[in-house]
Amino acid sequence: MPVDATALLRWYAAEARDLPWREEGVTGWQILMSEVMLQQTPVARVAPIWLEWVQRWPVPSMMAATSQADVLRAWGRLGYPRRALRLHECAGVLATEHGDVVPADVDVLLSLPGIGAYTARAVACFAYGRRVPVVDTNVRRVVARAVHGAAEPGNPSVTRDLADVESLLPRTRERAATFSAALMELGATICTARSPDCSRCPLPRCAWVEAGRPAHDGPPRRVQKFTGTDRQVRGKLMAVLRESDVPVERPVLDRVWLTDPGQRDRALHSLLVDGLVEQTDDGRFALAGEGLAGQA
C-alpha cells in the first residue's frame, strides 16, 4: 500500500516540531553534528548541547583545532561518547580534505570517519535536499505498519529497507526531502512503538489499521536497560574524568562503583581500548589526549 505523500506533507507543514536544526541557514556541518548526537539519544537531551556546539564549533576546522578531551567534556552525558571521538576525527578530515565543508554526495559522506549508511543519507537529504531514502527506526516502523500491515518491522536489512523507502519518495527533490523528514516525524510523534495514536495519524490509509491492528507475531522487542550495566559504569567513570583538569588516581575511579569491582575493572578496560581514556606512565587516568599532558 502506498503512503499518501500529499496528506503527509500537509500534516508535516502544520505539525512538525520546532527543532533548532530545522531552521533556515543551518549548515551541512551543523546537520551532521545533530545527526550524530541524535543516534539513540532523545531530542530533548540533544537540543541544548547542539546549540552550544554550534556556537563553539561553527565549522569543522574549529573542532579539529581543539583537543579530544575538550570534545568529550562538551559531549557531557549524551551517552555513547565514541560518537564524539569519531566526530572529532571527521572534523579533521573535513578541514584538511574538503575545504571545511561537509560534502553533499552520499558516497563521499560514507568515506568519512564514523559516518554510516543512515547518517550519510540524512545529511545529504536534510542539509542538501537530495532525493535519497533515509531510514531510521521510526521510518522502518511507519513503513512496516502503513505499507506492509505489520505491527513491527522485521530485522533490519539495508538493501530492503532502502528499497522500501525509495519506492515511496515523491519524484521531485524538494518534495522527496521534505517527505523523508515527515515520515520520520510521523514515527517519532504519532506512530510510536508503544502507543501509536492512530486517531491523529494524517494518513488516510494504513495497511495495519485496515487489517485490524494485528499484534506483533515475532519475538518481543528487547527493552534496552541501563541501570547496572557496563554502560552505566562507563558513564560514571567518564564523569569523574570529565570533571577533573588533571589525571586522577585509580582509587578515585574505584569509588564510583563498589558494587562489583570486576565489572568496574572491565568497564575501565573497555574505555582504554576504545581510546576514550588514557593511562599515564605513573598509573593515573585521563580523558583521551590528556594522558601525556598530565605527565609534564
Side-chain angles (χ1 to χ4, degrees), residues 183-247:
L183 201 63
M184 194 174 296
E185 184 81 349
L186 183 63
T189 62
I190 290 181
C191 193
T192 59
R194 294 183 177 86
S195 304
D197 190 352
C198 297
S199 65
R200 294 175 53 228
C201 181
L203 301 182
R205 297 193 63 190
C206 170
W208 183 53
V209 171
E210 292 182 9
R213 295 181 35 150
H216 180 52
D217 60 2
R221 287 187 306 110
R222 292 193 303 170
V223 178
Q224 190 176 36
K225 66 176 184 175
F226 178 73
T227 303
T229 64
D230 286 4
R231 276 188 57 220
Q232 183 184 23
V233 183
R234 281 166 57 103
K236 288 181 174 291
L237 294 169
M238 288 291 290
V240 172
L241 297 176
R242 283 197 308 270
E243 293 164 7
S244 176
D245 295 329
V246 296

Side-chain angles (χ1 to χ4, degrees), residues 11 31 36 50 82 107 154 156 158 175 186 204 215 265 277-278 288:
W11 166 81
I31 292 290
V36 171
W50 180 84
R82 278 179 293 180
D107 289 335
V158 173
R175 279 172 59 87
L186 183 63
D265 294 346
V277 172
E278 296 175 352

Side-chain angles (χ1 to χ4, degrees), residues 2 84 149 165 183 250 258 272 283 286:
V165 177
L183 201 63
R250 177 62 186 265
L258 300 175
L272 291 164

Side-chain angles (χ1 to χ4, degrees), residues 87-102:
L87 188 57
H88 181 269
E89 182 184 359
C90 183
V93 174
L94 291 170
T96 57
E97 299 181 17
H98 296 278
D100 229 15
V101 175
V102 172

